[in-house]
Structure formats: structure tokens, C-alpha cells
């Protein structure tokens, strides 16, 4: 969505730039054409009844010098542009520098001239007033109506308004009167209510020429920008509704099905169920089918693995029982303290423990439904400590400030705590601290020892199945690598998490279980 909106914004900026440049080109061409017509009108009025004597080119050069000195125009004779049939050619260069070629009529002969100027509204309206004033001086008017008809020939619209006003010194300031008496134009800039630029030019003792035009380029750019932004927003909304929103909806449904797959209790959606969400030719439907097939394979592999683990664990029980029977027969003929018999019995005990742990871990992976009941957590922990304190000489310290009731599976939760304590007993030197506390709506149980501790790398993998820490902890006392994995599964089963933390008081490893006080 963000990339789409960013792309639309880039398109909008590009469109605004192109529209603005095109509008500016059109505006400059229109203004330039008006000025060219005034220059041509000036020549037509000046040489209407005049016949030149001598070289026309020299006369043209002299007249252009008059324009340069009187009006500040950079205008010069030019050759006819090759390949151009039109009598008007304009080229806009950077910073609104304009080169324009056009013809003027001199002694009934067309003469090509070139005019270069840098467009500003102030300069343009000044030169326009000077040209109209110069033409006024060349004309003779027999009546006031003839004068107004002459003014009416000039363009007048919402972008350019040319009119005559009586010269009234009472409505002018002293500075404006002095400017007009020196035949200089008088300017008025617009305000917040009237964003126009106005120039007054005194024609004679009776009339003042008034030219008014809006501050066009700046305002037009803002209008184009607002129009472009509105169009981009409309197009973006249309694209989102028509194209992006349906795609997001389909992806959301696909993600929902993936979320369901995270739970081992849920079966993955079948391909035809996902396909029903979309059209057959939809690419997302094809992705959904592929994902569903992959989910099915993964689900089946996990299911097969669990069944195999459970079956193998059950099958181990038969040979173990047989081995125990044969050991008892051997004990009849051998001394009871024979090292071979003691070794076999110890190995059989470890096999029994491994099978029990495999079966428990397999049942926890299946995530079967159990009933949670309320019980006194302090009483359960004290009973467990009473059973385990005789395993070795390490002191078990219970740190629990208050007694409270929790809702959970007491058997599984006690087994998880038992695994943590027995794991700590393998490596502790003198004491083990057990912290049980309620923080908000969760229960925190921490078991820490004063053994060698764990490295950062070992902390990341210690809860994985069949992970046995052999480097920093005692390899001889290491278990099968399923005890902590069972802890993690039991805590997840209760909606919590298990992790390794920094110890509070001792120097060894510190294992923490966090789960809701009232599991659902």
C-alpha cells in the first residue's frame, strides 16, 4: 500500500510539473503574441501614410533603435527563419528568457526582426503601456467616441483589462502626479482581496491609460497543484478500492489460514477450500493452493513423527521389561553388589526414564484437551520440595511472600517445576533458590542455582529437544535432553513462556516460567 501511494505521489508530482510547464508555455506565448501585435501596430500606425526614402533596412534599424532606447527592448533585424512558414516563432529558454521572430510592415514590405526579452509581469505591462501610449501619440481623434473605439480594439478579458479614465489629480497622490507628469508609468500592486497588478500611463492632459492583469503565473501554479493533488487522491482512492483492497482481503484470508496452522490442534485448509476463495485464474489462488499443499505435507510429517515417537516409546517397554526379568534371574546366581548387575539396572532405569519422557513430550506436542482446576500453588511447591530435598545435599530455598490460588493443570505444572529443580540439582554446588511470585495477572516461577551457569549461545538452545549441555556443565550428570523441552511445552500449553534469565542472587543458571494465573 505504501509503495503504491508513493508511486501515485511521484506520478502526481510529474503530472503537476508537466501541466505547470505546459500552462506556463501557453501563458507566455499568449502574452508574447499580444506584445508582438502591439509592436506591429506601432509600426503600422507610424508608417500608415509615410513613404520611406532610401534603404528600407537602414530605416528599420533606426526604428528598432528607437524601440530599444524608448522602451528598453532588445530588438534587432533578423533573417527569415529557414523552414518556417509562419510569420511568428517563439522559443522559451530557461528562466523565462524568450526569443521571438516576427515580421513588421515597413513601406509595404515585410521585414523580419528578432526580439529577446526576459519575461516578468512588471516589465511586460510597462512595455505594453509604453507601446499603446506611443500609438496614441501617432493617432488623431476627432471625437471622444472615436477615442473609445480606438481603445476598444485592444484585448480586454479576465486576464487583461485595458481602459481609459479621465485624468483627475484629486484622486492621485503627489508622487503619482509627479510620475505621470514625467510620462512615467504608475504601478499599484494587489492586496489580499485583489491580487492584480495595475499600471497607469498618462496619455495627455485629459486621459489616463489603465492596464490591469492578475498575478497569473503564481496563482495558476497553485491552482494546478491543487487540481493535480485532488486528481492524484481520487485516482489513488479508486485504485485502492478497485485493485488493492481485494488483494489485501485475499492475503488476509491466506494469513488467517497460516495462523491456524500454528496450532497443532487445527487441521490445515484443503486446496479446494482455499481455491473457493478466489477465481481459478487468480495468482493468489495459485499461491494459496501451493501453501495449503505445503501445510498439509508439514502437518502430515509432524503427525507421522509424533505417532512414530509414541509407537517406538511403547515398543521399548517390552524389551526393557524382559531385560529386567533376566537381570533378576542373574541376581540369583551373582552377588547383589556385582558391578555388572548394578550397571545394567542403572541403564534400565535411565531407559525407563527416557521412555516416560518421550511419551510425555509426544502427548504434549499433540496438544490434547485437559481440564484446568484451581489449587494452592504454595502448597504444591512445598510438597515437591519435600520430595526432592533428599536427592543431594543442596539446600532448597523457597522464596514466596504470599499464598495464592491459581487455575492450571496441577500435575503438568508440578512436573515442569520438578524438571527445573532436578536439572538445577545436577549442577548446583550448595544451594538452589526457588522464587514464586504473582506479578499482575501472571505467575512467575524462577529456579536458580550456584553452579557453573550457561553461555549466551547455550541459553538460545537449552530448551530444544535432546539438547545436552556438555561443555560448561557436568557431562556425567547430564540427562537425556528432554527435561527442559518438556518444561517449555508445558508452559506453552498453559499460554505462557519459559526462558533463561540472569540470576537474582546466585551465580549459576536461572530458569524462569511465566504463565497466566488463570489459564484458559
Amino acid at each position: 500500500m505504501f509503495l503504491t501511494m508513493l508511486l501515485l505521489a511521484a506520478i502526481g508530482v510529474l503530472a503537476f510539473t508537466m501541466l505547470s510547464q505546459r500552462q506556463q508555455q501557453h501563458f507566455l506565448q499568449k502574452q508574447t503574441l499580444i506584445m508582438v501585435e502591439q509592436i506591429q501596430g506601432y509600426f503600422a500606425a507610424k508608417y500608415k501614410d509615410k513613404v520611406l526614402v532610401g534603404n528600407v533596412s537602414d530605416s528599420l534599424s533606426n526604428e528598432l533603435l528607437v524601440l530599444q532606447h524608448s522602451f528598453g527592448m532588445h530588438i534587432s533585424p533578423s533573417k527569415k527563419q529557414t523552414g518556417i512558414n509562419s510569420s511568428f516563432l517563439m522559443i522559451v529558454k530557461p528562466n523565462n528568457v524568450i526569443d521571438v521572430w516576427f515580421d513588421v510592415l515597413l513601406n509595404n514590405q515585410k521585414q523580419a526582426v528578432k526580439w529577446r526579452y526576459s519575461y516578468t509581469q512588471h516589465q511586460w505591462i510597462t512595455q505594453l503601456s509604453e507601446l499603446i501610449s506611443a500609438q496614441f501619440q501617432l493617432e488623431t481623434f476627432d471625437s471622444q467616441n472615436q477615442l473609445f473605439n480606438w481603445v476598444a480594439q485592444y484585448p480586454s478579458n479576465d486576464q487583461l483589462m485595458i481602459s481609459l479614465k479621465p485624468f483627475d489629480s484629486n484622486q492621485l497622490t503627489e508622487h503619482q502626479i509627479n510620475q505621470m507628469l514625467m510620462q512615467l508609468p504608475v504601478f499599484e500592486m494587489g492586496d489580499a482581496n485583489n491580487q492584480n497588478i495595475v499600471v497607469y500611463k498618462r496619455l495627455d492632459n485629459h486621459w489616463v491609460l489603465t492596464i490591469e492583469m492578475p498575478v497569473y503565473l503564481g496563482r495558476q501554479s497553485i491552482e494546478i497543484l491543487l487540481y493535480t493533488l485532488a486528481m492524484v487522491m481520487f485516482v489513488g482512492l479508486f485504485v485502492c478500492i478497485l485493485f488493492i483492497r481485494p488483494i489485501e482481503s485475499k492475503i488476509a484470508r491466506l494469513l488467517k489460514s497460516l495462523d491456524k496452522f500454528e496450532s497443532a490442534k487445527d487441521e490445515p485448509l484443503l486446496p479446494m477450500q482455499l481455491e473457493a476463495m478466489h477465481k481459478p485464474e487468480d495468482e493468489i489462488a495459485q499461491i494459496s493452493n501451493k501453501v495449503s499443499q505445503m501445510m498439509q505435507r508439514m502437518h502430515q510429517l509432524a503427525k507421522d513423527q509424533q505417532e512414530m515417537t509414541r509407537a517406538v516409546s511403547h515398543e521399548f517397554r517390552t524389551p526393557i521389561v524382559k531385560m529386567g526379568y533376566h537381570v533378576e534371574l542373574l541376581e540369583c546366581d551373582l552377588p547383589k553388589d556385582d558391578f555388572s548387575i548394578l550397571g545394567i539396572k542403572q541403564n534400565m532405569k535411565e531407559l525407563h526414564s527416557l521412555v516416560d519422557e518421550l511419551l510425555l513430550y509426544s502427548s504434549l506436542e499433540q496438544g490434547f484437551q485437559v481440564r484446568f482446576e484451581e489449587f494452592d500453588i504454595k502448597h504444591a511447591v512445598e510438597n515437591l520440595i519435600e520430595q526432592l530435598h533428599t536427592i543431594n545435599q543442596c539446600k532448597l530455598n523457597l522464596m514466596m511472600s504470599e499464598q495464592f490460588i491459581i487455575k492450571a493443570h496441577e500435575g503438568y505444572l508440578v512436573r515442569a517445576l520438578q524438571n527445573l529443580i532436578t536439572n538445577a540439582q545436577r549442577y548446583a554446588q550448595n544451594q538452589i533458590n526457588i522464587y514464586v511470585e504473582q506479578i499482575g495477572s501472571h505467575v512467575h516461577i524462577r529456579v536458580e542455582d550456584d553452579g557453573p551457569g550457561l553461555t549466551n549461545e547455550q541459553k538460545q538452545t537449552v530448551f530444544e529437544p535432546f539438547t545436552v549441555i556438555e561443555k560448561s556443565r557436568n557431562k556425567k550428570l547430564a540427562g537425556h535432553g528432554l527435561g527442559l523441552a518438556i518444561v517449555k511445552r508445558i508452559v506453552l500449553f498453559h499460554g505462557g513462556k519459559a526462558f533463561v534469565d540472569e540470576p537474582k542472587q546466585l551465580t549459576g543458571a536461572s530458569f524462569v516460567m511465566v504463565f497466566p494465573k488463570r489459564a484458559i
Side-chain angles (χ1 to χ4, degrees):
M1 177 66 75
F2 174 74
L3 293 177
T4 303
M5 296 306 297
L6 187 63
L7 178 61
L8 290 175
I11 294 175
V13 172
L14 180 61
F16 164 72
T17 304
M18 295 176 63
L19 285 173
S20 180
Q21 290 180 350
R22 184 174 180 181
Q23 189 71 20
Q24 187 174 4
Q25 289 267 0
H26 177 73
F27 174 80
L28 293 176
Q29 183 175 8
K30 187 175 181 179
Q31 300 298 309
T32 302
L33 185 57
I34 291 175
M35 192 67 71
V36 166
E37 291 174 350
Q38 300 312 310
I39 297 173
Q40 292 173 335
Y42 169 79
F43 275 91
K46 188 169 185 177
Y47 295 97
K48 179 171 57 176
D49 300 322
K50 187 175 181 180
V51 177
L52 295 176
V53 179
N55 193 303
V56 176
S57 299
D58 294 339
S59 299
L60 177 64
S61 299
N62 293 332
E63 289 298 332
L64 297 181
L65 286 175
V66 173
L67 288 178
Q68 291 186 28
H69 289 96
S70 302
F71 307 140
M73 290 184 173
H74 185 72
I75 189 169
S76 58
S78 176
K79 294 182 179 180
K80 183 71 176 180
Q81 294 298 301
T82 58
I84 304 297
N85 296 324
S86 173
S87 60
F88 173 79
L89 174 65
M90 185 185 80
I91 299 177
V92 180
K93 297 183 176 181
N95 299 323
N96 292 339
V97 175
I98 301 172
D99 285 343
V100 55
W101 290 266
F102 58 95
D103 294 334
V104 297
L105 193 62
L106 197 65
N107 203 21
N108 294 323
Q109 297 181 24
K110 289 184 178 181
Q111 301 294 321
V113 296
K114 177 185 177 183
W115 175 33
R116 168 175 286 188
Y117 73 104
S118 179
Y119 181 87
T120 63
Q121 287 186 292
H122 186 280
Q123 180 186 22
W124 184 89
I125 200 170
T126 302
Q127 292 180 349
L128 180 62
S129 66
E130 295 286 359
L131 282 169
I132 295 177
S133 176
Q135 293 184 51
F136 175 83
Q137 305 302 327
L138 297 173
E139 299 288 347
T140 302
F141 305 104
D142 297 330
S143 64
Q144 183 172 314
N145 288 335
Q146 190 177 4
L147 173 61
F148 279 97
N149 290 335
W150 177 79
V151 174
Q153 69 177 334
Y154 294 101
S156 183
N157 49 51
D158 59 343
Q159 298 179 5
L160 180 65
M161 291 157 279
I162 301 176
S163 60
L164 287 179
K165 292 183 178 180
F167 180 72
D168 187 357
S169 58
N170 295 326
Q171 299 181 358
L172 301 173
T173 64
E174 182 178 356
H175 174 72
Q176 290 175 334
I177 293 174
N178 292 333
Q179 290 285 102
M180 289 187 177
L181 290 177
M182 291 186 294
Q183 294 297 322
L184 297 176
V186 176
F187 286 92
E188 285 186 1
M189 298 303 295
D191 53 21
N193 298 322
N194 183 20
Q195 298 182 357
N196 287 348
I197 179 172
V198 185
V199 63
Y200 301 100
K201 174 70 176 179
R202 188 173 73 90
L203 299 179
D204 56 18
N205 294 331
H206 303 285
W207 299 102
V208 174
L209 176 69
T210 303
I211 304 177
E212 184 175 359
M213 67 182 300
V215 184
Y216 185 76
L217 287 179
R219 187 175 67 181
Q220 190 69 11
S221 297
I222 296 175
E223 292 174 354
I224 294 174
L225 176 60
L226 294 176
Y227 172 78
T228 304
L229 291 178
M231 288 299 297
V232 168
M233 292 178 63
F234 174 77
V235 173
L237 182 62
F238 176 78
V239 170
C240 291
I241 294 176
L242 189 62
F243 298 103
I244 299 178
R245 184 57 184 170
I247 295 176
E248 285 185 342
S249 178
K250 296 173 184 178
I251 294 176
R253 282 182 284 181
L254 179 59
L255 291 175
K256 187 177 180 180
S257 65
L258 292 175
D259 290 338
K260 289 183 177 181
F261 182 68
E262 290 182 356
S263 175
K265 296 177 288 185
D266 295 330
E267 291 286 342
L269 292 176
L270 297 176
M272 61 286 298
Q273 292 176 287
L274 284 173
E275 187 176 2
M277 298 180 183
H278 319 290
K279 298 179 180 179
E281 64 275 8
D282 194 343
E283 290 81 2
I284 296 183
Q286 300 177 13
I287 297 175
S288 300
N289 292 334
K290 294 295 183 183
V291 171
S292 179
Q293 293 171 10
M294 178 189 67
M295 290 163 56
Q296 280 188 306
R297 288 196 295 267
M298 293 174 61
H299 185 83
Q300 188 61 42
L301 287 173
K303 187 177 180 181
D304 293 344
Q305 182 185 20
Q306 293 172 4
E307 291 180 353
M308 183 185 68
T309 302
R310 186 170 52 188
V312 170
S313 300
H314 279 292
E315 291 298 325
F316 274 167
R317 288 186 179 274
T318 301
I320 292 175
V321 172
K322 291 181 178 180
M323 289 173 60
Y325 175 73
H326 290 296
V327 168
E328 290 180 359
L329 293 178
L330 289 175
E331 283 183 325
C332 297
D333 301 327
L334 296 175
K336 292 184 178 181
D337 57 351
D338 186 273
F339 289 104
S340 299
I341 297 297
L342 293 177
I344 294 174
K345 293 178 71 174
Q346 179 63 33
N347 291 334
M348 289 175 59
K349 183 179 179 180
E350 291 182 5
L351 280 175
H352 271 294
S353 175
L354 175 59
V355 169
D356 290 340
E357 290 185 348
L358 281 173
L359 290 174
L360 177 59
Y361 185 77
S362 176
S363 64
L364 290 172
E365 273 195 323
Q366 291 179 355
F368 57 86
Q369 296 291 336
V370 296
R371 184 178 179 180
F372 294 148
E373 297 180 349
E374 294 183 349
F375 64 95
D376 187 337
I377 181 66
K378 184 177 183 181
H379 179 70
V381 174
E382 288 176 343
N383 289 340
L384 179 62
I385 292 176
E386 184 68 23
Q387 299 173 16
L388 298 178
H389 82 282
T390 58
I391 293 180
N392 59 18
Q393 301 300 319
C394 291
K395 184 178 180 181
L396 299 179
N397 304 313
L398 176 59
M399 311 291 187
M400 187 175 180
S401 59
E402 59 178 334
Q403 187 172 2
F404 52 88
I405 304 299
I406 68 171
K407 184 178 181 180
H409 191 285
E410 184 176 0
Y412 280 161
L413 202 58
V414 170
R415 176 60 184 270
L417 181 57
Q418 177 183 337
N419 285 5
L420 291 181
I421 295 176
T422 54
N423 179 75
Q425 286 176 327
R426 291 191 182 101
Y427 308 106
Q429 297 179 3
N430 297 306
Q431 61 178 328
I432 298 171
N433 290 345
I434 303 166
Y435 302 86
V436 181
E437 55 185 339
Q438 178 183 349
I439 301 178
S441 61
H442 285 72
V443 178
H444 291 239
I445 299 179
R446 178 189 299 267
V447 177
E448 65 182 32
D449 59 63
D450 58 354
L454 296 170
T455 65
N456 291 332
E457 183 179 355
Q458 291 169 344
K459 291 178 182 179
Q460 303 298 323
T461 60
V462 70
F463 285 103
E464 297 300 322
F466 301 105
T467 298
V468 179
I469 305 301
E470 298 180 354
K471 294 182 179 180
S472 59
R473 306 201 27 121
N474 194 333
K475 180 178 178 180
K476 183 178 180 180
L477 297 176
H480 308 295
L482 281 175
L484 296 179
I486 290 174
V487 171
K488 180 180 178 181
R489 281 290 176 180
I490 291 176
V491 176
L492 289 175
F493 188 68
H494 285 77
K497 60 180 179 178
F499 56 93
V500 182
D501 198 8
E502 295 298 325
K504 283 187 174 183
Q505 297 180 357
L506 305 180
T507 58
S510 178
F511 293 90
V512 182
M513 297 188 299
V514 180
F515 53 90
K517 182 180 178 181
R518 303 186 66 86
I520 300 176

